């Protein structure tokens, strides 16, 4: 077996993985990236709407800053996130956007003077400042107080990925394509790399490194219908689960996006609603104001998805051969806007639905979209259990999102998390030597080879595609938007049966190279373990928090469940994971648990919340009225960053007067702008 040595190994060539690789390479470290596909085809390219960063350039972003972005992120997570990480993220997001501009991302820019937009189904005119002309623009997204989602029309992920990959190419970072990591090399305390298989030749290779970063994305393809690329099958999470040592975090936290097209589940960006699109039922009625009168279509994603599902359950869905759906109406935005800022949506509608979204409503319904859970790391991106193992992006539970992710925060997390964690990866490589016994490499290589031999030469009769389809159906039916005890128990029981059956797989194609059936068989048992981890975590969490909505436990329970789910896999014969919990310390929070702003406030309070609120009040009083917001924040919850990322951000809204209450930059059409 070939052994390839490097300093920094990155598994996954999407935005997060490439950004870590760039950070390591810029420090002069030998860096290597593994990818299932060419880097520019990574799932990061599918992100349409934009990435959040508090630049405060556009008039509707005036007054935005790290504090507001942090608060939106924490509330959006339903108080499930790591607030230190949320602070790190909010502070560095503006730096990442500007760095990407320097690398060639053609951000949509502000044009001075009046511009027409749709706000709450009405045309208004925004008056953009002369000083903002040419600066990076922002659009509205759900769950935010300010317009801060920076974008390049609706192809933001595409633009970012191409610029990032071009930067990696300029640094001569090698990307080994068509390579799948299937096992971590570790001694129970330190991760030393991976055993990987070439999808073309079937060759096994050992990639040995000082630091190994998993950046393989989410696990959406555990579900029958998902907006995720077909490669997003949770294999990165499975690698960690199979160590029996390192933990996964919050795997039950799975987000459904409100507006995937029916029936194929391809995403139409939140930018459709951010730019003024409406949700309508079978009668053409705009129903979201009935449920969420303040935020309407721009409530947080988990909220909108549940409201849509509730409305369909009331019989207000549009009947179709693929089940009931609702309508997304962007016709009021006008053809020019759609062909300029939503052109990918237009192409999707034309190619997959045969409709023109400038005149036709789009059939949509909530579909699995994002994985908040993942490989549990500390604030530096490193596994607390396996030294040298890092994770970043959707593959990780860093934990910036808690139990629900705000739109625009995932694309931002890939590059911001990659920027921050990449520096910590480089630090680790500089501070640690490569010390490994080659017998350990052989041990893991032989184990994977034996697994392949058994699949090729064994006498099993089970069909891999049949079991995979059944797993995806179970996850869709029983571990979806709304959950309850009996269905979750049924999911766990049926998934356990599938895992046992998967130990008796039989292959019709016996080739050892370029064999898609063998690829699926190697993934299936790993995927089933991840699916069981999601289902078991959901069954155990008897509360509703963010995207985890229990019909039998509708309250958010801070008293008993303000904690992160941790999961490990006991041994090769086990059928379920071992669950443990990591308590979130209210007394260390900058923003103690409170009302999120949707529906009735029925949360069961944590006993420390009032105490922490009083403590924060005392701290602010002692600082005095002259203290800056930065001084206040640091006194309440200090956080650390690599030195180069610590300097304060600069923004236009710090130098221009904030808009007055009577003129927030908008007027009705036909009225003169101030």
């Amino acid at each position: 077996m070939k052994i390839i040595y490097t300093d920094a190994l990155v598994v996954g060539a999407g935005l997060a993985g490439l950004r870590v690789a760039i950070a390591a390479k810029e420090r002069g470290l030998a860096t290597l990236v593994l990818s299932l596909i060419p880097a520019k085809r990574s799932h990061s390219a599918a992100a349409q709407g934009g990435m959040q960063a508090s630049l405060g350039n556009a008039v509707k972003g005036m007054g935005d800053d790290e504090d507001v972005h942090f608060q939106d992120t924490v509330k959006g997570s339903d108080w499930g996130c790591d607030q230190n990480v949320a602070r790190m993220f909010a502070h560095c997001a503006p730096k990442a956007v500007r760095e990407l501009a320097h690398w060639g991302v053609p951000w949509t820019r502000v044009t001075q003077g009046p511009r027409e937009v749709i706000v709450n189904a009405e045309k208004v005119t925004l008056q953009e400042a002369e000083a903002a002309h040419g600066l990076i623009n922002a659009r509205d997204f759900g769950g935010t107080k300010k317009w801060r989602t920076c974008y390049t029309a609706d192809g933001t992920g595409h633009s970012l990925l191409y610029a990032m990959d071009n930067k990696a190419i300029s640094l001569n970072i090698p990307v080994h394509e068509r390579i799948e990591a299937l096992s971590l090399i570790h001694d129970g305390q330190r991760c030393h790399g991976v055993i990987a298989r070439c999808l073309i030749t079937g060759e096994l290779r050992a990639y040995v490194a000082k630091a190994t970063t998993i950046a393989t994305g989410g696990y959406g393809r555990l579900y029958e219908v998902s907006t995720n690329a077909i490669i997003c099958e949770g294999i990165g999470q499975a690698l960690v689960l199979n160590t029996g040592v390192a933990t996964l975090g919050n795997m039950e936290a799975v987000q459904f996006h409100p507006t995937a097209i029916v029936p194929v589940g391809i995403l139409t960006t939140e930018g459709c609603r951010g730019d003024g699109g409406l949700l309508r039922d079978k009668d053409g009625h705009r129903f979201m104001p009935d449920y969420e009168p303040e935020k309407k279509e721009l409530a947080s994603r988990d909220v909108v998805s549940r409201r849509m599902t509730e409305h369909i359950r009331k019989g207000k869905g549009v009947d179709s051969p693929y089940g009931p759906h609702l309508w997304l109406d962007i016709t009021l935005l006008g053809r020019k806007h759609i062909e300029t800022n939503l052109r990918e949506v237009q192409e999707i509608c034309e190619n997959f639905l045969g409709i023109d979204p400038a005149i036709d409503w789009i059939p949509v319904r909530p579909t699995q979209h994002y994985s908040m859970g993942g490989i549990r790391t500390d604030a530096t991106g490193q596994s607390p259990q396996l030294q040298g193992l890092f994770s970043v992006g959707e593959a990780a539970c860093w934990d910036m999102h808690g139990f629900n992710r705000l739109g625009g925060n995932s694309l931002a997390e890939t590059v911001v998390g990659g920027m921050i964690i990449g520096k910590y990866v480089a630090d680790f490589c500089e501070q640690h030597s490569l010390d490994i016994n080659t017998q350990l490499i052989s041990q893991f290589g032989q184990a994977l080879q034996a697994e392949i031999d058994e699949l090729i030469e064994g006498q099993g009769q089970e069909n891999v595609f049949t079991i995979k389809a059944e797993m995806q159906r179970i996850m869709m039916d029983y571990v979806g938007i709304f959950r309850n005890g009996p269905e979750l128990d049924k999911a766990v029981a049926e998934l356990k049966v599938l895992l046992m059956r998967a130990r008796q797989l039989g292959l019709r194609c016996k080739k050892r190279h370029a064999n898609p059936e063998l690829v699926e068989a190697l993934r299936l048992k790993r995927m089933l373990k991840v699916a069981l981890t999601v289902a078991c975590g959901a069954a155990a969490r008897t509360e509703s928090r963010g995207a985890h909505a229990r019909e039998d436990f509708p309250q958010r329970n801070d008293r008993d469940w303000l904690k992160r789910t941790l999961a490990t896999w006991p041994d090769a014969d086990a059928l379920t994971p071992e669950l443990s919990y990591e308590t979130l310390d209210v007394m260390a929070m900058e923003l103690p648990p409170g009302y999120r702003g949707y529906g009735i406030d029925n949360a069961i309070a944590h006993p420390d919340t009032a105490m922490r609120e009083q403590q924060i009040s005392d701290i602010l009083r002692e600082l005095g009225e002259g203290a800056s917001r930065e001084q206040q924040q640091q006194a309440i919850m200090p956080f650390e960053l690599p030195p180069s990322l610590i300097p304060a951000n600069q923004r236009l809204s710090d130098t221009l007067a904030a808009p007055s209450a009577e003129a927030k930059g908008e007027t009705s059409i036909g009225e003169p702008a101030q």
Side-chain angles (χ1 to χ4, degrees):
M1 182 174 60
K2 183 188 296 184
I3 303 176
I4 301 169
Y5 295 92
T6 188
D7 291 325
L9 174 67
V10 179
V11 183
L15 282 168
L18 288 175
R19 187 61 186 85
V20 169
I22 289 168
K25 184 69 173 182
E26 287 180 332
R27 294 272 279 272
L29 297 164
T31 306
L32 195 153
V33 180
L34 307 183
S35 181
L36 292 174
I37 55 177
K40 285 186 171 72
R41 288 178 56 195
S42 298
H43 185 52
S44 297
Q48 297 171 346
M51 68 171 280
Q52 288 199 37
S54 58
L55 298 182
N57 294 329
V59 67
K60 296 290 279 186
M62 289 288 287
D64 198 11
D65 56 34
E66 299 86 350
D67 292 350
V68 184
H69 191 183
F70 164 79
Q71 291 162 10
D72 285 346
T73 300
V74 174
K75 291 180 180 179
S77 79
D78 220 355
W79 275 271
C81 73
D82 182 327
Q83 294 195 16
N84 279 278
V85 168
R87 261 296 173 188
M88 295 165 68
F89 163 75
H91 180 82
C92 293
K95 304 176 192 301
V97 169
R98 288 163 175 152
E99 180 180 69
L100 288 165
H102 181 66
W103 289 353
V105 172
W107 295 110
T108 298
R109 302 282 175 157
V110 175
T111 300
Q112 66 177 348
R115 67 180 175 113
E116 294 181 4
V117 298
I118 303 293
V119 177
N120 192 24
E122 295 182 0
K123 286 187 177 182
V124 298
T125 298
L126 301 183
Q127 185 74 20
E128 299 292 356
E130 181 180 356
H133 185 75
L135 300 181
I136 296 170
N137 207 343
R139 61 169 30 132
D140 200 6
F141 253 42
T144 67
K145 292 181 179 178
K146 300 289 184 179
W147 292 23
R148 78 166 66 88
T149 304
C150 310
Y151 62 102
T152 62
D154 63 343
T156 313
H158 181 103
S159 299
L160 267 60
L161 183 61
Y162 271 60
M164 189 79 73
D165 189 47
N166 289 342
K167 178 67 175 179
I169 291 170
S170 74
L171 293 172
N172 295 314
I173 297 173
V175 178
H176 289 201
E177 299 170 1
R178 315 293 183 183
I179 301 292
E180 181 166 27
L182 289 169
S183 180
L184 290 180
I185 303 169
H186 69 96
D187 57 14
Q189 295 181 321
R190 172 86 182 264
C191 178
H192 296 284
V194 304
I195 304 292
R197 178 177 177 272
C198 176
L199 296 175
I200 300 172
T201 67
E203 172 196 16
L204 295 187
R205 304 175 189 172
Y207 289 87
V208 179
K210 294 178 181 178
T212 303
T213 303
I214 306 297
T216 51
Y219 41 93
R221 287 293 163 174
L222 298 180
Y223 286 79
E224 191 173 32
V225 183
S226 172
T227 66
N228 286 194
I230 58 173
I231 57 173
C232 299
E233 297 186 311
I235 303 303
Q237 289 84 353
L239 295 181
V240 171
L241 201 58
N242 276 343
T243 66
V245 179
T247 58
L248 303 182
N250 285 350
M251 291 295 285
E252 67 269 33
V254 178
Q255 183 182 83
F256 283 65
H257 195 287
T259 56
I261 66 171
V262 177
V264 292
I266 297 173
L267 179 69
T268 58
T269 174
E270 188 165 330
C272 290
R273 287 172 289 127
D275 289 0
L278 308 177
L279 290 170
R280 300 186 185 276
D281 62 19
K282 68 177 183 180
D283 302 318
H285 172 62
R286 181 193 181 193
F287 60 88
M288 276 305 298
D290 301 339
Y291 296 97
E292 299 296 339
E294 182 179 348
K295 296 295 290 186
K296 307 175 182 66
E297 282 85 0
L298 288 174
S300 196
R301 284 181 178 177
D302 62 314
V303 176
V304 178
S305 292
R306 285 196 294 274
R307 296 308 196 189
M308 290 174 69
T309 304
E310 290 173 21
H311 206 60
I312 289 173
R313 286 179 171 182
K314 292 177 180 178
K316 294 296 185 178
V318 182
D319 291 332
S320 82
Y322 315 103
H325 65 77
L326 296 164
W327 298 113
L328 173 62
D329 174 14
I330 61 172
T331 60
L332 68 168
L333 303 182
R335 184 173 298 280
K336 180 180 179 182
H337 181 96
I338 292 170
E339 292 181 349
T340 302
N341 291 320
L342 297 171
R343 56 180 183 261
E344 280 195 15
V345 171
Q346 182 183 36
E347 290 175 1
I348 288 168
C349 290
E350 290 173 348
N351 294 333
F352 291 91
L353 297 172
I355 66 173
D356 180 356
I359 58 176
D360 300 313
W361 294 350
I362 307 168
V364 296
R365 67 169 168 239
T367 299
Q368 194 286 334
H369 176 60
Y370 189 83
S371 313
M372 278 77 70
I375 300 163
R376 181 66 186 130
T377 75
D378 60 21
T380 70
Q382 186 171 202
S383 166
Q385 294 82 28
L386 275 182
Q387 194 180 37
L389 174 63
F390 292 79
S391 187
V392 65
E394 193 175 354
C397 178
W398 185 29
D399 173 25
M400 198 191 96
H401 304 302
F403 273 76
N404 177 66
R405 170 184 68 82
L406 292 184
N409 264 359
S410 62
L411 199 59
E413 187 197 21
T414 60
V415 290
V416 176
M419 169 192 281
I420 297 170
I421 292 167
K423 292 182 182 296
Y424 287 123
V425 168
D427 290 344
F428 185 91
C429 290
E430 291 175 348
Q431 295 163 6
H432 293 80
S433 60
L434 189 60
D435 183 13
I436 183 173
N437 188 329
T438 54
Q439 187 174 0
L440 184 66
I441 302 173
S442 298
Q443 173 188 328
F444 282 93
Q446 291 168 6
L448 182 57
Q449 186 63 62
E451 183 182 358
I452 294 171
D453 292 345
E454 176 62 26
L455 287 168
I456 296 291
E457 301 168 5
Q459 302 303 309
Q461 298 297 314
E462 293 286 356
N463 183 289
V464 60
F465 301 105
T466 300
I467 295 177
K468 181 177 180 180
E470 185 65 10
M471 173 197 70
Q472 292 173 324
R473 181 197 62 78
I474 291 168
M475 294 298 290
M476 204 75 191
D477 289 349
Y478 304 138
V479 198
I481 296 177
F482 284 103
R483 303 167 176 181
N484 60 69
E487 289 188 347
L488 290 170
D489 292 342
K490 188 173 183 179
V492 172
E494 293 186 8
L495 289 170
K496 285 164 66 176
V497 171
L498 292 184
L499 181 57
M500 288 188 286
R501 288 174 57 190
R503 293 169 180 171
Q504 301 297 324
L505 292 176
L507 302 187
R508 289 168 292 180
C509 179
K510 302 295 185 180
K511 293 192 303 182
R512 291 180 178 270
H513 67 282
N515 182 349
E517 188 181 18
L518 175 58
V519 171
E520 290 291 342
L522 287 168
R523 293 174 182 172
L524 180 61
K525 283 191 289 186
R526 292 164 171 80
M527 292 175 71
L528 281 164
K529 290 180 180 179
V530 176
L532 275 158
T533 304
V534 174
C536 288
R541 184 173 286 272
T542 53
E543 68 153 357
S544 291
R545 185 179 299 274
H548 174 68
R550 289 284 298 259
E551 293 177 292
D552 45 353
F553 295 96
Q555 292 177 286
R556 189 186 83 202
N557 187 345
D558 295 332
R559 181 191 62 205
D560 301 317
W561 281 105
L562 192 60
K563 49 191 177 184
R564 191 171 291 112
T565 306
L566 301 179
T568 55
W569 201 266
D571 55 65
D573 297 325
L575 293 176
T576 55
E578 287 185 354
L579 302 181
S580 58
Y581 295 92
E582 176 185 356
T583 301
L584 278 65
D585 184 5
V586 172
M587 296 305 294
M589 291 181 178
E590 179 179 347
L591 188 63
Y595 177 48
R596 190 177 169 201
Y598 303 113
I600 60 171
D601 184 7
N602 66 347
I604 300 173
H606 192 283
D608 291 344
T609 296
M611 189 187 313
R612 178 57 173 165
E613 289 173 343
Q614 183 59 51
Q615 188 180 63
I616 291 172
S617 178
D618 293 341
I619 291 171
L620 295 177
R621 185 174 61 254
E622 290 176 8
L623 284 175
E625 294 183 0
S628 67
R629 63 180 181 83
E630 291 84 3
Q631 290 172 325
Q632 293 176 343
Q633 188 279 314
Q634 282 293 299
I636 295 169
M637 190 188 73
F639 64 96
E640 297 181 1
L641 278 170
S644 62
L645 300 178
I646 291 175
N649 295 301
Q650 296 180 340
R651 51 180 60 86
L652 183 66
S653 57
D654 292 333
T655 59
L656 296 179
S660 63
E662 66 274 8
K664 294 181 180 178
E666 58 186 65
T667 59
S668 298
I669 291 294
E671 295 180 8
Q674 300 299 314

